[in-house]
């Protein structure tokens, strides 16, 4: 049986079929391919198509002119019109827009090449794991195509066991960040379309059979039971023993994997120290499969709703949040642990117990740091504005991105909300699209809450939060910009809201722009004083919203956007940050900080019965 199975996986790697997504990559036996890569900008896709637009990688044998062949002339007369080794270099992970000044606005195709040696031990398997590439990636190793991936913020991997060689490997990746109507996100966004290999590139070495994925969390509805599954890749049924060890909880569970490669389990647990913002407890967890040990640090907590209340570990909480984009202080795509800590520590300083990571899955670094810091997380996929809701391929793309995000992050205690969408226009097709995503999410993970950032309407002097997809959501979240995109700040306290849903309500966005250091009267737009007054007045209104359970103002830090063009003020930045892109705190930061201090005291007094 083992010989048959091994033969099957070797055959699959010969044709470079993609594997299931491997989880918990940071704790595996890995080799980083990060660092300096060569690149070629190719706006006409010269290295991908012939002059008659025949796609090179669909031909039986790739011609020398296909860039992924990495061909070099063998004599001085041979015609070869590219050379990676003589081309410019760039740092990976990273985007080309912020690293190369002349590529600041570039949208199109670029090729990246990394050479490496790798001595793969006998009977071992090797996988190439790509943290994220924006947006479409065609991936080749040693001239063989591994596959194509779409989606700029989710990981994917390929098995390369039969392709890698001890010396002289060359990994070539064609990246295309061109926007299309049917993409997720679509052509119109309010953030920078950073192109490139924006997250880690990693080689993962594994045994013939190995732990591909797992879920270890509290069982829904039972805070004293840890349940989940272990998934084995290429199971040898004769060797199917798995052990789960959590020493601090005196857990040493043993089970056997079924013929389908899955072990489902449920383990009673007592005296759990539950994860929370005040106590971000993470337990050392080890999964042992036939002597292969995979370690993780996992927090255990419950998150639920009860009518219009959010309950963390059975106790009512108020989400003191802030929205965050994945951008570093230099105006490029954030990817490092340092980037993550900078953003999250600013959120902690603001008084947050929660962050909304908009508008796409962020780097795994920030999720893991949130686990350690005790910050609850809203994670979102880029179903943003005018996605092509009637397109079946667009839906499948969105579902695939959602699946990848959940697969990567489902063991992180910090994530309490999966978000389906942001500010999408109402239609029957859109309702079906998002409701199907909600159903899919619950099928993968029924332990967390589901939400989406909705739009509202105004009827008879009331702001009404009655979007139909609210029926499918656990939390009713909405964005509103009183005093910036409409409405008078002086009348803020007179603005009233209502909703037919007896569910927790979160104001997922509010705010307005200010240029740091630009001062004036409180009625002068773009000044810090105007933004400060806007926050003061909005908070007076927000206090009166029924079922209010949290806020996440827009946004923590100014971020780049090609839609924001006002000279001397915006200069290509959305200036709604409470902190400038230079790290300067604006006056509104302290208004929000004071309000969160008050909210924290109210919560403490409530919990103490005062």
């Amino acid at each position: 049986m083992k010989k048959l199975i091994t033969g099957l996986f070797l055959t699959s790697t010969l044709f470079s079929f993609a594997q299931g997504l491997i989880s918990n990559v940071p704790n595996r036996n890995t080799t980083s391919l990060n660092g300096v890569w060569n690149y070629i900008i190719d706006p006409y896709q010269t290295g991908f198509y012939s002059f008659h637009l025949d796609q090179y990688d669909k031909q039986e044998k790739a011609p020398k002119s296909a860039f992924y062949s990495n061909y070099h002339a063998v004599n001085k007369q041979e015609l070869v019109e590219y050379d990676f080794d003589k081309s410019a270099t760039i740092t990976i992970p990273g985007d080309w827009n912020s690293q190369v000044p002349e590529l600041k606005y570039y949208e199109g195709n670029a090729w990246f090449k990394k050479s490496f040696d790798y001595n793969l031990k006998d009977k071992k398997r090797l996988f190439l794991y790509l943290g994220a590439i924006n947006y479409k990636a065609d991936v080749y190793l040693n001239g063989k195509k591994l596959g194509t991936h779409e989606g700029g913020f989710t990981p994917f991997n390929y098995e390369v066991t039969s392709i890698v060689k001890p010396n002289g490997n060359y990994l070539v990746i064609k990246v295309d960040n061109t926007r299309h109507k049917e993409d997720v996100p679509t052509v119109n966004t309010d953030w920078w379309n950073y192109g490139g290999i924006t997250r880690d590139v990693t080689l993962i070495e594994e045994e013939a059979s190995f732990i591909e994925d797992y879920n270890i969390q509290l069982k829904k509805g039972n805070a004293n039971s840890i349940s989940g599954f272990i998934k084995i890749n290429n199971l040898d049924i004769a060797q199917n023993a798995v052990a789960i060890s959590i020493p601090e909880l005196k857990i040493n569970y043993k089970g056997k994997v079924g013929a389908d490669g899955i072990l489902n389990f449920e383990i009673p647990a007592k005296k759990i120290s539950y994860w929370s913002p005040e106590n971000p407890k993470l337990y050392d967890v080890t999964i042992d499969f036939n002597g292969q040990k995979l370690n993780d640090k996992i927090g255990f907590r419950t998150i639920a709703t009860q009518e219009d209340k959010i309950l963390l570990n059975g106790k009512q909480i108020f989400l003191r949040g802030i929205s965050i984009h994945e951008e570093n202080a230099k105006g490029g795509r954030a990817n490092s642990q340092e980037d993550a800590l900078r953003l999250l520590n600013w959120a902690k300083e603001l008084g947050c117990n929660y962050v909304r990571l908009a508008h796409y899955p962020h780097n795994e670094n920030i999720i893991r740091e949130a686990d350690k810091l005790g910050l609850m997380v809203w994670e979102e996929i880029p179903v943003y504005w005018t996605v092509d809701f009637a397109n079946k391929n667009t839906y499948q793309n969105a579902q695939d991105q959602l699946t990848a995000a959940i697969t990567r992050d489902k063991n992180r205690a910090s994530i309490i909300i999966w978000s389906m969408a942001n500010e999408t226009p109402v239609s029957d097709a859109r309702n079906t699209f998002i409701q199907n995503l909600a159903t899919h999410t619950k099928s993968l993970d029924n332990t967390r809450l589901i939400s989406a950032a909705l739009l509202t309407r105004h009827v008879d002097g009331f702001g009404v939060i009655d979007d139909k997809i609210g029926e499918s959501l656990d939390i009713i979240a909405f964005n509103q910009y009183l005093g910036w995109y409409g409405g008078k700040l002086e009348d803020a306290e007179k603005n009233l809201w209502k909703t037919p849903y007896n569910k927790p309500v979160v104001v997922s966005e509010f705010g307005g722009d200010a240029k740091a250091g630009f001062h004036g009267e409180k009625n002068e737009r773009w000044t810090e004083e105007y933004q400060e007054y806007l926050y003061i007045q909005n908070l007076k209104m927000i206090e009166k919203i029924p079922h209010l359970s949290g806020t996440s103002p827009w946004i923590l830090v100014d971020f780049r956007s090609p839609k924001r063009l006002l000279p001397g003020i915006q200069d290509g930045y959305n200036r709604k940050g409470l902190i400038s892109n230079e790290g300067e705190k604006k006056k509104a930061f302290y208004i929000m900080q004071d309000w969160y201090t008050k909210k924290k005291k109210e919560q403490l007094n409530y919990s103490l019965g005062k």
Side-chain angles (χ1 to χ4, degrees):
M1 180 70 176
K2 183 174 181 179
K3 288 182 179 179
L4 173 61
I5 294 173
T6 303
L8 285 172
F9 88 70
L10 286 175
T11 301
S12 71
T13 58
L14 181 62
F15 293 99
S16 306
F17 294 153
Q19 303 290 314
L21 186 62
I22 298 171
S23 63
N24 190 18
V25 172
N27 288 311
R28 295 178 183 269
N29 180 18
T30 61
T31 300
S32 175
L33 294 183
N34 292 348
V36 177
W37 290 46
N38 295 96
Y39 74 95
I40 300 172
I41 299 300
D42 186 18
Y44 280 26
Q45 303 192 71
T46 303
F48 195 63
Y49 295 110
S50 74
F51 71 104
H52 283 157
L53 287 183
D54 296 316
Q55 188 170 317
Y56 287 144
D57 63 19
K58 290 187 176 180
Q59 298 179 19
E60 186 173 341
K61 183 178 180 181
K64 299 178 294 185
S65 49
F67 285 6
Y68 60 84
S69 297
N70 191 33
Y71 186 81
H72 294 81
V74 297
N75 59 57
K76 293 182 178 181
Q77 192 172 12
E78 189 173 14
L79 176 63
V80 181
E81 296 185 275
Y82 70 99
D83 189 333
F84 277 110
D85 296 336
K86 294 179 180 179
S87 297
T89 59
I90 197 167
T91 300
I92 300 298
D95 61 272
W96 62 61
N97 311 82
S98 63
Q99 292 191 64
V100 185
E102 58 265 35
L103 298 178
K104 180 177 179 179
Y105 288 98
Y106 180 68
E107 293 182 315
N109 286 269
W111 296 81
F112 298 84
K113 192 269 290 185
K114 179 74 170 182
S115 296
F116 65 95
D117 299 331
Y118 197 93
N119 187 17
L120 182 63
K121 300 179 183 66
D122 187 39
K123 298 182 180 179
K124 299 284 188 177
R125 299 169 69 186
L126 193 67
F127 296 82
L128 173 67
Y129 182 93
L130 302 131
I133 296 176
N134 191 36
Y135 168 79
K136 182 179 180 180
D138 292 279
V139 185
Y140 307 83
L141 179 62
N142 297 338
K144 296 180 174 63
K145 187 164 188 176
L146 304 182
T148 300
H149 180 266
E150 289 192 32
F153 305 97
T154 49
F156 56 106
N157 50 250
Y158 301 105
E159 181 163 12
V160 296
T161 305
S162 64
I163 303 174
V164 73
K165 52 190 181 181
N167 303 106
N169 296 285
Y170 52 95
L171 175 62
V172 177
I173 303 176
K174 176 180 173 287
V175 179
D176 182 2
N177 72 330
T178 305
R179 292 166 292 130
H180 303 98
K181 179 179 181 292
E182 65 274 13
D183 290 347
V184 181
T186 186
V187 292
N188 195 21
T189 68
D190 188 19
W191 68 83
W192 207 270
N193 184 25
Y194 289 114
I197 304 171
T198 56
R199 296 183 189 160
D200 295 337
V201 181
T202 307
L203 295 171
I204 308 170
E205 186 174 301
E206 293 290 355
E207 302 291 339
S209 300
F210 68 95
I211 304 160
E212 178 184 294
D213 188 23
Y214 59 92
N215 184 38
I216 301 176
Q217 291 284 280
L218 291 179
K219 184 180 180 180
K220 183 176 176 61
N222 188 344
N224 294 304
S225 180
I226 295 172
S227 67
F229 68 85
I230 311 293
K231 180 181 179 183
I232 303 300
N233 183 300
N234 188 45
L235 177 70
D236 177 356
I237 199 65
Q239 296 179 313
N240 63 350
V242 171
I244 301 170
S245 172
I246 310 176
E248 281 190 78
L249 295 177
K250 296 181 171 57
I251 288 174
N252 190 17
Y253 170 88
K254 295 181 180 180
K256 292 189 179 298
V257 181
D260 60 355
I262 304 290
L263 166 66
N264 294 299
F265 64 86
E266 185 172 337
I267 308 169
K270 297 179 180 179
K271 297 182 179 180
I272 298 173
S273 179
Y274 296 110
W275 184 97
S276 71
E278 297 75 28
N279 175 46
K281 172 64 178 176
L282 300 176
Y283 286 94
D284 289 322
V285 177
T286 299
I287 307 170
D288 188 323
F289 171 62
N290 295 326
Q292 303 172 43
K293 290 181 168 57
L294 184 58
N295 299 317
D296 204 348
K297 289 184 177 292
I298 297 177
F300 300 108
R301 54 97 195 96
T302 64
I303 189 73
T305 61
Q306 185 178 72
E307 295 185 336
D308 65 349
K309 298 177 178 60
I310 301 174
L311 305 179
L312 177 68
N313 301 322
K315 297 180 180 179
Q316 184 178 355
I317 56 167
F318 185 88
L319 299 179
R320 307 188 309 273
I322 190 69
S323 296
I324 296 177
H325 257 303
E326 188 186 72
E327 194 164 282
N328 63 32
K330 301 172 187 175
R333 183 62 70 205
N335 55 59
S336 68
Q337 184 181 33
E338 180 185 12
D339 293 332
L341 286 171
R342 181 190 305 110
L343 294 166
L344 295 182
N345 282 327
W346 273 335
K348 292 277 285 187
E349 185 180 351
L350 185 63
C352 296
N353 61 4
Y354 153 77
V355 291
R356 177 189 178 212
L357 300 183
H359 285 295
Y360 38 76
H362 286 215
N363 195 295
E364 189 172 358
N365 285 327
I366 202 167
I367 310 291
R368 289 181 177 268
E369 293 304 320
D371 259 20
K372 298 174 189 174
L373 292 172
L375 282 164
M376 294 175 283
V377 171
W378 160 313
E379 182 164 338
E380 191 164 292
I381 58 171
V383 177
Y384 180 91
W385 290 358
T386 54
V387 163
D388 189 357
F389 293 108
N391 188 317
K392 292 182 180 179
N393 292 333
T394 300
Y395 175 80
Q396 188 61 52
N397 186 340
Q399 181 175 292
D400 289 346
Q401 292 187 45
L402 184 60
T403 300
I406 293 173
T407 300
R408 189 192 73 176
D409 294 333
K410 62 185 174 297
N411 289 303
R412 306 282 71 86
S414 53
I415 295 179
I416 61 166
I417 298 169
W418 300 118
S419 171
M420 306 297 101
N422 178 79
E423 294 183 348
T424 49
V426 176
S427 70
D428 290 342
R430 169 268 202 176
N431 292 348
T432 299
F433 190 107
I434 296 176
Q435 286 165 349
N436 286 343
L437 287 177
T439 300
H440 179 68
T441 301
K442 289 294 186 184
S443 74
L444 296 177
D445 177 14
N446 67 357
T447 68
R448 290 176 173 86
L449 307 178
I450 288 179
S451 191
L454 308 176
L455 295 169
T456 62
R457 60 195 185 100
H458 291 270
V459 180
D460 299 328
F462 281 87
V464 181
I465 318 159
D466 65 350
D467 192 311
K468 181 175 175 58
I469 66 169
E471 298 171 0
S472 304
L473 305 177
D474 300 308
I475 291 178
I476 307 301
F478 72 99
N479 301 346
Q480 66 83 29
Y481 283 91
L482 176 72
W484 194 255
Y485 295 124
K488 296 181 179 179
L489 289 175
E490 294 76 11
D491 299 332
E493 291 179 85
K494 300 176 185 177
N495 287 9
L496 300 175
W497 295 83
K498 62 181 180 180
T499 178
Y501 300 116
N502 185 26
K503 296 181 179 183
V505 170
V506 170
V507 183
S508 39
E509 291 181 25
F510 72 94
D513 291 63
K515 177 71 178 291
F518 180 44
H519 296 285
E521 300 297 323
K522 69 179 184 180
N523 62 354
E524 184 180 354
R525 196 179 283 262
W526 308 111
T527 64
E528 287 196 42
E529 286 72 20
Y530 186 91
Q531 188 188 47
E532 178 186 44
Y533 182 54
L534 182 149
Y535 268 76
I536 291 169
Q537 293 301 97
N538 268 265
L539 290 173
K540 290 177 182 177
M541 176 191 68
I542 286 170
E543 291 269 18
K544 298 180 180 179
I545 293 175
H547 314 307
L548 183 69
S549 291
T551 61
S552 52
W554 191 261
I555 188 170
L556 181 64
V557 186
D558 292 351
F559 61 95
R560 278 185 170 177
S561 171
K563 293 176 69 69
R564 309 298 175 168
L565 303 173
L566 182 63
I569 297 291
Q570 293 173 313
D571 298 316
Y573 277 87
N574 186 312
R575 298 292 185 189
K576 292 184 180 66
L578 294 176
I579 302 172
S580 78
N581 55 295
E582 301 293 335
E584 308 157 289
K585 295 183 179 69
K586 305 175 192 178
K587 297 182 77 171
F589 179 95
Y590 300 101
I591 299 301
M592 205 67 221
Q593 186 183 57
D594 290 345
W595 195 72
Y596 279 158
T597 298
K598 183 184 77 169
K599 282 293 179 186
K600 185 176 182 180
K601 288 180 180 176
E602 288 176 359
Q603 185 67 46
L604 179 61
N605 289 337
Y606 176 83
S607 64
L608 295 174
K610 294 183 179 180

